[in-house]
Amino acid sequence: MTLTNLASATHTMPRMERLLDGFEPDFEFRPVPPLPEGEFADRLRRIRQEASAAGHDILLVHADSIGSYKASNSYLRYICDWAREGMLLIPTDTDLPLALYTIFASSVLLPPAGEPVLVDDIWQVGTWGRETYNRPGRGLDRVVDATARHLDRMGFSKAQIGLIGDATSAPYWAGLKTVLPGCRFEMAQGIVNRMQRRRSKAEQAVVRAAAQLACIGMQAAYHVIRPGVTDHEIYAAFTFAQMARGGETGDGYQIGINPYGTHCSKPYGHVVREGDIINLYISAVQYHGYTAQIARMIAVGDITEEQEEVLTMCTEGVEAAAALVKPGALISDVANASFEPYIRRGHLSDADSRTMPYNWSAGDDGAPLLVPQQHVPDPDWEAMGRSVNHVWPATKGPHNPNVGHSVSLPKMPPYNIQSNNHDKLEEGMTFVLHSQWLDPLTAGANIGNCYLVTETGAENLSCHVPLGVHRVPA
């Protein structure tokens, strides 16, 4: 395919930079400052207290670089506001200082944002390797060696050490166990994970701001959507509107456009046409490290009665679940309520998350499920010399067997809103309720709001964009 044909296929033209002309959100966004240092000091106090109760002499907190200037988890950002890779040493004794070994990968940025707070001694390990740096050795080995030497200097060569990290931390822990045979190592992620259940007032303000940015992005998308506009342009409008006001990232969401309501896709050059159903699934707008979510459906012109029913069903699912949100409510009751509209219409037999069919489930008895082979017409993809030859997804049902999950910092373990979670809601919890259904090549929807549990009920953090389907004239 020639470049000229490719440009024609994606409708690239000078109008792109003008699509947001005249756009103004219908509310004023007021930026929220980063969390104060006192918030991190209180977290450190709580972490040290729990580590002491568990018998740990010191905690090691690790996050690795996974490229593109991203860390593999948010533990360091949560504890000391460090957004890069590093090995943080937290002695349980409050009179001993924290130390951070960092900069051992090339995907690093200088602060701001986020110089480590409460950390006096910061050590740059360096990047290693023959091919790239012409320096023999591995960064991993250097981090292990530096950490072991630091522990020895502090008198912790024979100690109980709590470990906080993720799958990328495993080779670091293995190395330390080899060079420190006198130490006892225990996983300690639960100390921080438990602190993710309820958000402080300062955290609530940041999550609320993140949700407002998502709403502004959604309003910007509504502003530009019309026949002839591409999914790239819609995605870009959303991204520009929220990032221009302080959003940290522009890659935490999906856009699905086709006549069937399929969601969870990325832009590829689809041109909006009459009869299209558009899903904007904003799975993460990040602000000061915290995320918020929102999902909305857009119908272009007339759609089928079956599609209208699915849109109505999913809207009712969110409303039924949200009506039960308050302190003390069982999470399982909230989840089950969301599926009542599905059961009433005969789409599901019950709300049991274990047996419920969902889009990415396996086949009978847990065996892999063959994805059906069938040509699915897509003129924009085919104009680029490619084609869709399988039916995605392989099964019909909700996207997941839950109706939502907690929202927090990226990569923090979530709790799910589903039938087997019999815990109770508490003030300060933040989560998304998204009602989803997809019958491949027929009809689908993904509709959701972000909620905060208040003293008396719930606050809809996505209140600036109506929940119901947005209509665009053909």
Side-chain angles (χ1 to χ4, degrees):
M1 171 174 288
T2 67
L3 291 177
T4 301
N5 289 339
L6 182 59
S8 176
T10 57
H11 283 211
T12 302
M13 57 184 67
R15 65 111 192 270
M16 288 186 289
E17 280 71 27
R18 300 197 303 269
L19 281 172
L20 275 173
D21 284 355
F23 169 72
E24 288 288 343
D26 63 10
F27 68 97
E28 181 182 358
F29 174 72
R30 297 183 180 276
V32 174
L35 296 178
E37 186 171 311
E39 182 99 2
F40 293 97
D42 183 65
R43 291 174 181 177
L44 180 60
R45 176 190 62 79
R46 294 160 61 194
I47 289 169
R48 275 175 152 160
Q49 175 58 33
E50 191 163 344
S52 177
H56 302 317
D57 298 301
I58 191 169
L59 293 175
L60 301 181
V61 185
H62 170 264
D64 219 341
S65 171
I66 55 175
S68 300
Y69 310 103
K70 296 181 185 299
S72 61
N73 62 59
S74 293
Y75 288 122
L76 292 178
R77 185 151 198 188
Y78 182 76
I79 296 172
C80 65
D81 204 23
W82 182 237
R84 316 302 169 206
E85 79 278 6
M87 181 77 77
L88 179 66
L89 290 78
I90 306 178
T92 302
D93 294 327
T94 58
D95 60 334
L96 296 179
L98 277 63
L100 176 65
Y101 288 88
T102 188
I103 315 300
F104 44 85
S106 57
S107 290
V108 293
L109 297 174
L110 295 175
E115 176 169 293
V117 299
L118 308 177
V119 182
D120 292 327
D121 295 332
I122 303 172
W123 305 80
Q124 179 170 302
V125 176
T127 48
W128 296 87
R130 286 187 179 276
E131 194 278 331
T132 303
Y133 309 106
N134 197 23
R135 285 165 171 78
R138 294 194 309 165
L140 188 156
D141 297 330
R142 300 285 180 169
V143 174
V144 168
D145 181 66
T147 303
R149 291 176 182 274
H150 196 112
L151 291 169
D152 185 62
R153 289 197 302 270
M154 297 182 70
F156 290 141
S157 59
K158 293 183 178 181
Q160 179 171 311
I161 301 176
L163 306 177
I164 298 177
D166 57 26
T168 69
S169 309
Y172 296 86
W173 304 151
L176 287 168
K177 291 175 183 178
T178 299
V179 299
L180 294 171
C183 288
R184 184 168 64 255
F185 296 88
E186 295 185 3
M187 302 310 299
Q189 287 100 320
I191 293 176
V192 177
N193 292 348
R194 285 186 286 273
M195 296 169 67
Q196 300 303 303
R197 182 176 176 83
R198 301 174 63 183
R199 307 261 70 95
S200 69
K201 293 296 183 181
E203 289 177 299
Q204 291 174 27
V206 174
V207 176
R208 184 180 294 108
Q212 290 175 353
L213 289 174
C215 288
I216 289 173
M218 195 69 70
Q219 290 185 9
Y222 287 0
H223 182 83
V224 305
I225 292 174
R226 68 199 67 155
V229 169
T230 69
D231 52 6
H232 285 294
E233 292 169 319
I234 299 168
Y235 197 92
F238 185 105
T239 301
F240 178 85
Q242 61 95 356
M243 290 194 70
R245 290 168 172 82
E248 290 183 349
T249 61
D251 59 356
Y253 34 95
Q254 297 86 46
I255 179 171
I257 309 179
N258 53 44
Y260 319 117
T262 304
H263 43 78
C264 292
S265 182
K266 286 290 187 180
Y268 64 93
H270 181 95
V271 179
V272 175
R273 297 174 177 84
E274 181 178 3
D276 274 347
I277 302 176
I278 304 171
N279 172 243
L280 276 168
Y281 178 27
I282 312 308
S283 54
V285 164
Q286 191 168 318
Y287 186 67
H288 295 322
Y290 288 80
T291 63
Q293 289 198 17
I294 183 174
R296 291 294 186 269
M297 300 300 296
I298 303 101
V300 183
D302 296 330
I303 58 178
T304 68
E305 290 184 7
E306 188 166 7
Q307 290 165 339
E308 293 283 9
E309 181 191 27
V310 169
L311 291 169
T312 300
M313 178 179 73
C314 290
T315 303
E316 291 177 358
V318 175
E319 293 170 341
L324 299 184
V325 175
K326 62 180 179 180
L330 286 178
I331 292 177
S332 55
D333 287 344
V334 174
N336 293 342
S338 75
F339 290 112
E340 190 280 329
Y342 298 64
I343 298 169
R344 173 163 35 92
R345 289 175 170 84
H347 291 291
L348 292 176
S349 59
D350 56 56
D352 189 344
S353 57
R354 178 178 295 236
T355 58
M356 183 187 300
Y358 67 101
N359 291 160
W360 312 110
S361 60
D364 295 338
D365 300 323
L369 185 64
L370 182 66
V371 178
Q373 294 187 36
Q374 177 183 328
H375 175 243
V376 180
D378 189 321
D380 302 308
W381 193 231
E382 290 168 9
M384 301 179 212
R386 303 292 291 277
S387 62
V388 178
N389 297 308
H390 291 80
V391 177
W392 302 97
T395 58
K396 71 176 181 179
H399 181 63
N400 285 304
N402 62 39
V403 71
H405 50 80
S406 56
V407 294
S408 178
L409 290 86
K411 302 293 186 179
M412 287 295 186
Y415 55 81
N416 284 298
I417 314 296
Q418 59 188 37
S419 66
N420 66 322
N421 187 346
H422 303 297
D423 213 340
K424 291 183 177 181
L425 294 177
E426 300 176 52
E427 180 190 356
M429 296 174 73
T430 53
F431 51 84
V432 62
L433 294 177
H434 43 41
S435 188
Q436 304 164 327
W437 181 264
L438 183 57
D439 187 351
L441 305 187
T442 302
N446 176 21
I447 300 171
N449 279 335
C450 196
Y451 292 93
L452 163 68
V453 182
T454 65
E455 293 181 4
T456 58
E459 178 185 350
N460 174 14
L461 302 179
S462 315
C463 61
H464 299 287
V465 182
L467 187 65
V469 60
H470 179 71
R471 308 283 177 172
V472 176

